[in-house]
Amino acid sequence: QLQLVESGGGLVQPGGFLRLSCAASGFTLDSYAVGWFRQAPGKEREGVSCISRSGRITNYAESVKGRFTISRDNAKNTVSLQMDSLKPEDTAVYYCAADAKALGCSLTRGDYWGQGTQVTVSS
């Protein structure tokens, strides 16, 4: 019914780039703010970026500001995360989450979560 599927992860060298995609299935994503989160081994889950329902409001963690860009295409029912100038510290499993209740968007909450996609930044 309510499913989110992340894709686009992989192995990349420092300084490289990846584009992650979050696709909704069984519902229309335009009713939800969407966030990207990541979790690395031994670390707490971190909110990376989020985008409001309209796409007019975006937020970024300080650690990725200037390097990552979030966008959405409601006609395609997708949200993307463009990741440039990747660093080893970006290595983590990345999750997208749909938020039904956020005002604007939140880096701390989600109602429905995808399965995650692995991003590894290494030489």
Side-chain angles (χ1 to χ4, degrees):
Q1 292 182 341
L2 299 175
Q3 296 185 28
L4 295 172
V5 179
E6 302 95 335
S7 62
L11 175 64
V12 65
Q13 293 185 346
F17 60 90
L18 286 171
R19 186 175 179 88
L20 305 183
S21 179
C22 174
S25 177
F27 67 105
T28 54
L29 205 53
D30 61 4
S31 296
Y32 299 83
V34 177
W36 283 97
F37 302 80
R38 67 187 181 186
Q39 188 163 26
K43 299 181 66 176
E44 295 184 353
R45 187 177 64 199
E46 175 188 19
V48 176
S49 183
C50 65
I51 189 166
S52 65
R53 293 165 181 81
S54 68
R56 296 182 63 186
I57 300 172
T58 59
N59 291 306
Y60 297 90
E62 288 296 327
S63 59
V64 307
K65 194 170 296 183
R67 300 188 297 119
F68 290 11
T69 304
I70 192 170
S71 62
R72 69 188 301 159
D73 188 340
N74 285 339
K76 295 182 178 179
N77 225 22
T78 59
V79 173
S80 296
L81 184 68
Q82 179 69 44
M83 306 186 296
D84 298 321
S85 302
L86 284 163
K87 304 175 180 180
E89 307 93 273
D90 296 318
T91 296
V93 177
Y94 284 70
Y95 302 88
C96 66
D99 185 349
K101 300 178 181 178
L103 300 176
C105 74
S106 174
L107 292 175
T108 62
R109 60 166 282 124
D111 295 313
Y112 306 101
W113 295 79
Q115 84 292 338
T117 186
Q118 176 71 49
V119 171
T120 302
V121 184
S122 176
S123 299

